[in-house]
Amino acid sequence: PPSGLPGSSSYNQLSGLAGDGDGDDDDESERRACERLLDEFAEAEVEEIANVSHAHWFVGRNKAKAGGGDDNGLPLSGDDVPRRRSALKEIRRHYVGEGRDPSKAVAAVREALGYRRRYRFDVVRSCFYDDDRNGGNAEDDADDRAKRTKRLILDDLRRQPMVVRG
């Protein structure tokens, strides 16, 4: 297959599903297992899984702001390869973490998505990027939550020094 498409070596390397490049059958079976697991999720859930990657979330967010997505914030067709690649990386992380047990991996991904929804990770993640997330919709408290989160973070930064090591 052409570079960057499922099945190509560059796709496997970028998706984190490639081994040492010697055509290892284990790598191929792991890739297929992860793709089957990904098929267990609805399209909107695949986007949520892909958005765990900050890079995927950031690019998708900027495309949506520029009118490059559909009404639900999902990328338009043709953008599904990067989304699938990003989602496969996350699926693989859970698949390996759960001892390569497919049912445990699906349960772990669903639990992680629930946690991200409950604590509104995307609102917290975007608090320094957007001033008005919902167009003033009073039913959604995303703006207030983001402003509160931003204020708390800035207050903490003023009160205590931060040391970041790489």
Side-chain angles (χ1 to χ4, degrees):
S3 179
L5 293 177
S8 71
S9 61
S10 65
Y11 170 82
N12 291 341
Q13 289 169 349
L14 291 171
S15 66
L17 299 175
D20 54 15
D22 64 2
D24 213 11
D25 286 340
D26 291 340
D27 294 333
E28 182 62 23
S29 67
E30 186 172 278
R31 183 185 62 77
R32 281 194 308 269
C34 290
E35 287 181 349
R36 280 191 303 272
L37 291 177
L38 190 58
D39 291 339
E40 299 273 328
F41 297 92
E43 186 177 352
E45 289 175 312
V46 171
E47 181 66 16
E48 279 186 88
I49 295 166
N51 279 337
V52 170
S53 158
H54 185 78
H56 181 80
W57 170 82
F58 189 76
V59 168
R61 180 186 155 282
N62 287 337
K63 277 186 179 182
K65 285 179 84 171
D70 69 9
D71 293 338
N72 298 316
L74 294 174
L76 297 173
S77 62
D79 286 348
D80 59 335
V81 171
R83 174 182 35 195
R84 189 165 180 84
R85 183 180 304 138
S86 187
L88 280 169
K89 285 181 184 180
E90 184 66 10
I91 292 284
R92 182 181 182 274
R93 188 173 74 82
H94 288 283
Y95 181 66
V96 171
E98 295 296 335
R100 292 178 169 75
D101 181 322
S103 59
K104 285 184 179 179
V106 168
V109 171
R110 290 198 191 284
E111 182 180 350
L113 289 178
Y115 184 85
R116 293 179 61 82
R117 288 178 198 132
R118 183 173 38 257
Y119 292 102
R120 308 200 49 196
F121 271 52
D122 287 338
V123 172
V124 173
R125 180 187 263 180
S126 67
C127 74
F128 286 97
Y129 293 108
D130 299 325
D131 289 328
D132 186 18
R133 275 151 210 77
N134 61 15
N137 182 355
E139 295 175 21
D140 186 358
D141 70 334
D143 280 342
D144 291 337
R145 179 181 295 270
K147 287 174 185 172
R148 232 179 12 255
T149 300
K150 182 177 180 177
R151 192 173 47 252
L152 288 170
I153 291 170
L154 291 174
D155 287 348
D156 269 356
L157 289 173
R158 279 189 212 96
R159 280 195 295 264
Q160 58 185 337
M162 294 293 198
V163 177
V164 179
R165 297 181 180 193

